[in-house]
Amino acid sequence: CPKNLHTAWYDKEKIEHVIYNLLSNAFKFTPKEGNVQLSVIPIDSKKQIKLSVSDTGSGIPKEELELIFDLFYQS
């Protein structure tokens, strides 16, 4: 993380749960030789930060993207 990050106010339990879920899914669906990356980027113009998780897994099929937020849906 950059040293010049903005101060961020958040609910510790909720943000830990979100980050855990994102990283858990990334590791679950990324092959052994793949990569998982967690990034924290300052957004200066809005005094916000952007948290991003990316991986080299196969991804979600395009036709299922709109369904991923349905309760209990798994791709």
Side-chain angles (χ1 to χ4, degrees):
C1 296
K3 290 183 180 183
N4 62 340
L5 278 180
H6 306 297
T7 299
W9 302 100
Y10 56 87
D11 181 306
K12 184 177 186 266
E13 280 186 31
K14 288 181 182 175
I15 199 69
E16 285 177 350
H17 188 73
V18 167
I19 294 170
Y20 175 84
N21 284 339
L22 291 170
L23 288 173
S24 176
N25 283 335
F27 284 113
K28 182 176 179 181
F29 296 105
T30 300
K32 288 182 182 180
E33 60 280 348
N35 294 304
V36 173
Q37 182 174 343
L38 171 66
S39 302
V40 180
I41 304 160
I43 302 173
D44 291 328
S45 62
K46 297 183 181 180
K47 297 211 179 239
Q48 298 175 345
I49 58 173
K50 175 182 176 182
L51 184 122
S52 174
V53 175
S54 60
D55 63 63
T56 55
S58 60
I60 300 168
K62 189 175 185 177
E63 61 274 3
E64 295 183 28
L65 283 175
E66 63 186 45
L67 303 171
I68 63 171
F69 293 106
D70 289 353
L71 195 58
F72 304 117
Y73 182 79
Q74 286 191 339
S75 179

